[in-house]
Amino acid sequence: MASTSSAPDNDGASVIALHAVLFNELGDWKPITEADAANLAEYRQLATEAHAARDFWAGLSKTKHVEVGECETAYNFMLAAEDACLAPLYRILHSQKRSALCFSGGGIRSSTFCLGVLEALAKYSFAGDPAKASPRLVAEFDYLSTVSGGGYVGSWFSSWIAREGETAAVLRQLAQTPSGKLDPEPKPIQHLRDYSNYLNPRLGLLSADTWTLVATTLRNIMLNWLVLIPFVAAALLLPVLYRDFLATPAHDSILLLLSGFLLGVLGTAFVMHNLPSFGNRQQGENRFVIFCLLPLAFSAVFLTTWWGRQPPPAASGFYQAAFALFGGLMHAAGVLGGVYLSKLSDSPNFRKGRFQGKLLAITFVAAVGTGALGGWLIYFVAIRFHPALVNPDAYCCLAVPTVFATLALVGVFSVGAASRFTDDDDREWWSRAGAWVLIASVFWILFSSLVLLLPGWVADITASRKVIFSAVSAALGWYATQAGASGKSAAGTRGDQSAAQSDSGLSARLHQLLVPVSAILFLIALAFGITLLNDWASGLLQPFPHSLVLVELALAVLASCTVSVNKFSLHAMYRMRLIRAFLGASNEERKPNPFTGFDPADNLEMQHMSPAKPMHVLNLCLNLVSGSKLAWQQRKAESFTVTRLHSGSLRVGYQPSGRYGGTTPNDGITLGTAMTISGAAASPNMGYHSSSLAAIVMTLFNARLGWWLANPGEPGRGFWTCNGPAFSIRPFLDEALGRTNDSNRYVYLSDGGHFENLGIYEMVLRRCHFIVVVDAGADPDYTEEDLGNAVRKIRIDMGVPIEFSSEIRINPALGVEAKHCALGWIRYDCVDPGAEPGKLLYIKPVLNGNEPADVLNYQSANKQFPQQPTADQWFDESQFESYRRLGAHSVEEMFRGLPGGGGIEELFAVAEQYLSPPEVKRAAGGQ
């Protein structure tokens, strides 16, 4: 079926809506019953209407001079039309009673535990000899949904299926009794065992693998700094340029005054043009910054420069009058400019007749009066605050904020004077404008002080203390980076931290305090170091020291064009090693480079994955650290998936995986790239792990595993086939400053656990009736935080409650009474009339004392097992085998009564028996 999409590009590209993705995932499904046929016909009709609605909106949004409200109405109509398509489609999906197997995040720990679960399920998939029987159970799952570490073994499994051509062949090898007496397991499993230390397989201080990691990390940091440091250095030169500009001879006094006056008029005109009771132009914050705040800032720079170049002042009536007259004229001219702009744009208030002569006259007189009062007040500061009377550096740090403070004061006077003619909307507008002025003032003071005052304060420190200062600063930066990157690949950061901090609430609070403090101190030290570097470089460029800012900007631009924000992050290093360990396992014709050990043929394109069940869904996170949806300020993320058919997000749209995000338009995104992004736990933007201070430090230290890809929705049109931005400085700054969203041309993708760590969100979206989820995320206190996060998001976003039939008894504190699983109900009937509730089987690693001897022996020597920190990505043989065997043992104990060759429904029936008859009865009664 043709996908419902927006107007086609010249190459036929389109945005694919969620309903089209779900329908395409039905594959070669044909209606059997009359109800199916009726639902299909209804869906096709609604899909045609939704397609037309999207076409209309896409065309309207590209048309000039269209009212914002008209475009917004068309957009909302399109969303409603596409949402309507889901009703008949969900009825079809409910009739299919589809199923999913979900592997959670949790690094190599989750991957290894899930491997054991998968092997055990494969054995239960056959009745009799696997060589002669057809598999059920695993072969019947419609989806394999993976997150982060679960995606490692999931990708290992799906790549093996792709190379074998069918799922049955892989399951037979996993289930068969080994014929060889030595090395009895299939080669793909032996390969995993060899590469359990996938980052550097050959350990040791003198190992080439270890030093390759070090060399790659240092190289990438240096290349990233080529982009970032020149840009930061150029920014740090601005206060110096202002100070030097202030000290130059006064040959352009009139020009400075005139420029300051006109820019002040422009900023004031913008205010009047946008005040709700005046121009009511309704322009947003970006335009306010560009057309109001920046002009006022430059106005303050020019005016303070003019004053600083004058001879030392003395109190006089002339200056008082001049300041008052200047302020009154500038404010009045701004009001007149606002009137002109409002009339020119045919303001709604003009059309309503609110711009009457009396009101305009009162407004003009009030503007003259408040502007004159502001000018008169600033006079008393100016005669006492002059470079000849105070430290020139202090003048540069405080002069512009003083003018800003006066402007804010004039705004206060204006609000008070106009209170009879304005309402609450105007006062709120003034308050927001005042907030921006306050932000600009504080930023100016801190930034200028860092450059102009801090070097003087540090100059008297002894050389030995400077060395100590540098070492401590570097250590603080490392600490902030490690702390920012140590959050688990999951829904919350508590898991790994609890393992490290045991029961100490004080140490947890101390840790939370030290991270931002360390980041701030490191950034101050870095700025100081760059300032000293600027001083040294300026000396080399004599007699043209000010040309340094141009040199640095040119270097930043050149580096941005040549250093890829994607290729020189840690992602590529991480991806190469994951591909070698997990995708190379099934490559029987593997021919690695004899020097590096890597084989490009290990990787596979998503579009070439096998159409056999289960369809692999890799769960990623689209970061929305600066997203516009207020309710998502905690999650700061939305779901993003990659399958062999489509890549994208339900809220922005999808693209075909065969032409999205590849190195050429014909290859598309690869399994290795999707698997690595899904496991990109350490990233400056990490969903609701994100910290603004940690993001800056992590970007500087290149602790960046995430990946930039074109927005699969309309903002990315024309760039969907690109594998990353061509110009690096914008995404670098977006990462560092937390400016990621889903409305830019490119989106930032990271670990799926930064949104939802179990992979069940997308399966409920697909209305799967049977979901088996393996939760191997770090959870030493067994609070099921990842499960709670998933249940909460599903209920909020889809209205589908998930209820458990009894208390979850997965806790080692219960001893032999501890259970390996819990059973829940997915209440589709709450949102889809006539639908039956689905079932969710929740499996988690736990010890209850009856595990094999080698597993218990490992736990006796490693007390955190099986909840060792996710940061431990270097598994030795005993650690690998203990997690794998625990995964298999958990399934064997739960499903001991499951006959070989049973299906998914039998699996759930045996799980109910395992959880004891009384609990099952209570669950049945609750339906």
Side-chain angles (χ1 to χ4, degrees):
M1 173 184 174
S3 62
T4 59
S5 59
S6 65
D9 230 338
N10 52 10
D11 60 351
S14 58
V15 177
I16 305 174
L18 170 65
H19 65 86
V21 169
L22 300 185
F23 184 79
N24 289 339
E25 287 180 0
L26 284 173
D28 58 358
W29 171 82
K30 301 294 182 184
I32 299 175
T33 66
E34 292 184 4
D36 283 345
N39 287 327
L40 178 61
E42 181 183 354
Y43 168 73
R44 290 188 183 279
Q45 175 62 35
L46 292 173
T48 301
E49 295 172 3
H51 173 79
R54 181 172 278 273
D55 280 349
F56 178 76
W57 168 74
L60 193 66
S61 62
K62 298 174 184 177
T63 304
K64 296 182 179 179
H65 310 300
V66 177
E67 288 287 342
V68 175
E70 184 180 356
C71 192
E72 184 176 349
T73 300
Y75 179 74
N76 290 332
F77 181 79
M78 175 200 72
L79 292 181
E82 292 182 344
D83 185 67
C85 295
L86 294 176
L89 184 57
Y90 276 161
R91 289 195 291 270
I92 294 173
L93 297 181
H94 282 304
S95 69
Q96 300 297 300
K97 291 194 174 182
R98 297 190 298 174
S99 55
L101 175 62
C102 304
F103 291 156
S104 81
I108 192 69
R109 179 193 60 249
S110 175
S111 176
T112 311
F113 181 82
C114 291
L115 171 64
V117 171
L118 181 62
E119 286 185 274
L121 291 177
K123 288 179 171 62
Y124 281 116
S125 297
F126 291 93
D129 184 358
K132 301 177 181 178
S134 297
R136 294 190 64 193
L137 197 51
V138 176
E140 292 179 352
F141 281 109
D142 294 281
Y143 292 103
L144 172 63
S145 178
T146 65
V147 184
S148 192
Y152 303 166
V153 71
S155 298
W156 168 84
F157 183 56
S158 59
S159 63
W160 193 2
I161 293 173
R163 289 188 170 109
E164 289 285 352
E166 60 173 357
T167 306
V170 174
L171 293 177
R172 287 191 181 94
Q173 294 182 62
L174 288 174
Q176 279 178 336
T177 302
S179 56
K181 303 309 176 186
L182 297 176
D183 296 326
E185 294 174 319
K187 288 184 178 179
I189 292 181
Q190 296 178 28
H191 186 93
L192 288 188
R193 198 183 296 279
D194 289 339
Y195 285 94
S196 60
N197 290 303
Y198 65 92
L199 289 174
N200 51 332
R202 296 187 183 275
L203 300 176
L205 184 61
L206 299 180
S207 164
D209 285 346
T210 301
W211 283 98
T212 299
L213 291 180
V214 175
T216 303
T217 300
L218 293 176
R219 178 201 67 192
N220 290 354
I221 288 177
M222 292 177 63
L223 289 173
N224 282 281
W225 280 22
L226 277 178
V227 179
L228 286 170
I229 298 301
F231 183 84
V232 174
L236 289 172
L237 278 174
L238 295 180
V240 177
L241 294 177
Y242 173 53
R243 181 187 61 189
D244 294 345
F245 182 51
L246 186 70
T248 56
H251 299 305
D252 50 3
S253 295
I254 299 300
L255 182 60
L256 287 174
L257 270 179
L258 182 60
S259 299
F261 180 86
L262 293 176
L263 287 169
V265 169
L266 175 60
T268 307
F270 180 91
V271 172
M272 302 307 297
H273 186 42
N274 284 272
L275 270 177
S277 64
F278 206 83
N280 198 26
R281 188 65 177 86
Q282 297 188 354
Q283 293 175 313
E285 288 186 338
N286 289 338
R287 285 185 171 270
F288 173 85
V289 171
I290 295 172
F291 295 109
C292 183
L293 193 62
L294 281 179
L296 292 179
F298 278 107
S299 174
V301 167
F302 291 142
L303 294 179
T304 54
T305 301
W306 173 84
W307 180 247
R309 290 177 176 180
Q310 302 306 306
S316 71
F318 170 77
Y319 269 128
Q320 289 189 46
F323 270 71
L325 179 63
F326 189 91
L329 289 176
M330 187 171 73
H331 201 206
V335 169
L336 292 176
V339 172
Y340 175 74
L341 289 175
S342 300
K343 184 177 180 181
L344 189 66
S345 62
D346 195 21
S347 161
N349 286 334
F350 256 112
R351 294 198 298 268
K352 295 175 182 177
R354 294 192 63 179
F355 279 43
Q356 300 173 355
K358 180 180 178 181
L359 177 61
L360 293 177
I362 293 174
T363 303
F364 181 79
V365 171
V368 172
T370 54
L373 179 59
W376 181 71
L377 289 175
I378 203 172
Y379 156 77
F380 292 100
V381 178
I383 61 171
R384 293 169 177 80
F385 192 67
H386 188 276
L389 303 177
V390 299
N391 185 318
D393 288 338
Y395 180 87
C396 292
C397 294
L398 298 175
V400 169
T402 300
V403 175
F404 271 162
T406 305
L407 291 173
L409 194 59
V410 170
V412 172
F413 294 153
S414 299
V415 171
S419 60
R420 293 183 57 189
F421 308 100
T422 57
D423 50 33
D424 289 341
D425 287 344
D426 299 279
R427 287 182 281 279
E428 285 292 336
W429 199 98
W430 272 113
S431 296
R432 179 59 63 94
W436 274 104
V437 171
L438 182 61
I439 290 170
S441 301
V442 172
F443 178 79
W444 183 285
I445 293 172
L446 295 177
F447 191 71
S448 300
S449 299
L450 199 63
V451 177
L452 301 178
L453 299 182
L454 182 63
W457 296 339
V458 180
D460 296 332
I461 297 179
T462 62
S464 60
R465 291 182 178 179
K466 287 179 180 178
V467 172
I468 295 173
F469 174 73
S470 301
V472 171
S473 300
L476 289 172
W478 176 86
Y479 174 76
T481 301
Q482 295 301 306
S486 67
K488 67 174 181 172
S489 170
T493 57
R494 188 193 65 255
D496 284 349
Q497 292 173 0
S498 331
Q501 297 163 359
S502 63
D503 298 325
S504 176
L506 177 62
S507 65
R509 289 192 294 271
L510 185 62
H511 175 81
Q512 293 174 355
L513 176 64
L514 283 177
V515 172
V517 170
S518 299
I520 291 172
L521 293 177
F522 168 75
L523 292 174
I524 291 174
L526 179 65
F528 174 69
I530 295 176
T531 299
L532 295 181
L533 183 64
N534 276 339
D535 291 342
W536 173 78
S538 296
L540 296 180
L541 292 176
Q542 295 293 345
F544 305 106
H546 295 152
S547 63
L548 178 61
V549 67
L550 299 178
V551 172
E552 289 174 341
L553 287 175
L555 181 59
V557 171
L558 178 62
S560 294
C561 294
T562 55
V563 177
S564 169
V565 68
N566 280 342
K567 293 180 180 178
F568 294 103
S569 67
L570 292 180
H571 174 100
M573 177 190 72
Y574 187 42
R575 180 182 60 198
M576 292 283 286
R577 284 149 181 80
L578 284 175
I579 290 172
R580 175 177 62 184
F582 293 95
L583 306 190
S586 56
N587 185 4
E588 294 183 357
E589 300 179 357
R590 192 168 190 273
K591 296 178 181 179
N593 184 292
F595 186 66
T596 65
F598 296 104
D599 182 358
D602 288 344
N603 202 1
L604 298 170
E605 294 176 27
M606 286 303 304
Q607 63 177 324
H608 295 152
M609 302 307 293
S610 172
K613 290 182 179 182
M615 173 183 280
H616 193 180
V617 179
L618 293 111
N619 293 269
L620 287 58
C621 166
L622 193 163
N623 282 273
L624 304 174
V625 178
S626 67
S628 59
K629 194 162 182 176
L630 297 180
W632 288 5
Q633 291 180 92
Q634 181 191 19
R635 62 172 73 177
K636 301 176 184 176
E638 62 183 78
S639 177
F640 191 103
T641 58
V642 177
T643 70
R644 66 180 180 83
L645 297 176
H646 305 102
S647 300
S649 169
L650 67 100
R651 301 189 186 277
V652 297
Y654 298 82
Q655 290 299 312
S657 294
R659 62 184 313 277
Y660 177 71
T663 53
T664 69
N666 297 321
D667 54 13
I669 192 169
T670 65
L671 175 61
T673 296
M675 169 183 64
T676 307
I677 299 172
S678 180
S683 299
N685 290 223
M686 303 185 289
Y688 69 85
H689 297 305
S690 302
S691 163
S692 55
L693 288 172
I696 298 174
V697 178
M698 291 179 71
T699 302
L700 287 170
F701 277 95
N702 199 34
R704 304 169 44 248
L705 290 174
W707 195 254
W708 288 90
L709 282 177
N711 190 323
E714 283 296 334
R717 179 175 290 280
F719 296 86
W720 293 321
T721 58
C722 300
N723 67 343
F727 195 68
S728 296
I729 189 62
R730 169 70 185 275
F732 268 126
L733 293 178
D734 283 346
E735 281 188 62
L737 301 178
R739 299 289 300 170
T740 53
N741 57 50
D742 60 359
S743 58
N744 287 337
R745 177 177 295 168
Y746 285 91
V747 294
Y748 187 64
L749 306 175
S750 67
D751 193 313
H754 296 157
F755 175 76
E756 190 268 295
N757 200 44
L758 301 184
I760 61 177
Y761 182 95
E762 289 286 337
M763 299 302 99
V764 173
L765 181 69
R766 286 160 170 77
R767 294 305 192 259
C768 290
H769 268 248
F770 298 100
I771 299 178
V772 177
V773 56
V774 183
D775 178 6
D779 186 11
D781 296 327
Y782 287 86
T783 59
E784 286 81 38
E785 182 180 351
D786 288 339
L787 179 62
N789 172 64
V791 170
R792 185 181 307 113
K793 284 189 170 74
I794 290 168
R795 184 177 63 248
I796 292 172
D797 294 355
M798 305 177 211
V800 179
I802 297 179
E803 302 168 354
F804 283 83
S805 53
S806 64
E807 177 187 2
I808 296 177
R809 300 171 62 189
I810 307 174
N811 196 316
L814 297 175
V816 295
E817 298 298 323
K819 298 294 184 180
H820 292 282
C821 69
L823 191 63
W825 299 94
I826 310 170
R827 298 297 303 277
Y828 293 124
D829 52 315
C830 292
V831 293
D832 299 335
E836 296 180 14
K839 294 183 179 182
L840 185 143
L841 182 60
Y842 176 70
I843 303 172
K844 193 175 183 72
V846 66
L847 298 176
N848 58 14
N850 64 353
E851 288 74 25
D854 60 322
V855 175
L856 293 175
N857 171 263
Y858 182 83
Q859 194 276 335
S860 66
N862 300 271
K863 299 301 183 182
Q864 292 179 329
F865 176 84
Q867 298 293 343
Q868 291 167 302
T870 307
D872 180 8
Q873 293 292 293
W874 289 264
F875 271 28
D876 55 29
E877 185 178 43
S878 59
Q879 191 175 15
F880 178 93
E881 181 57 23
S882 296
Y883 276 103
R884 186 182 81 124
R885 188 67 194 97
L886 178 61
H889 169 78
S890 300
V891 173
E892 290 164 0
E893 183 174 337
M894 287 185 290
F895 308 135
R896 202 173 298 279
L898 181 66
I904 293 172
E905 293 195 32
E906 290 88 344
L907 178 74
F908 277 81
V910 171
E912 292 181 7
Q913 295 175 12
Y914 168 75
L915 290 172
S916 82
E919 295 179 4
V920 175
K921 290 178 181 179
R922 286 197 295 270
Q927 294 183 57

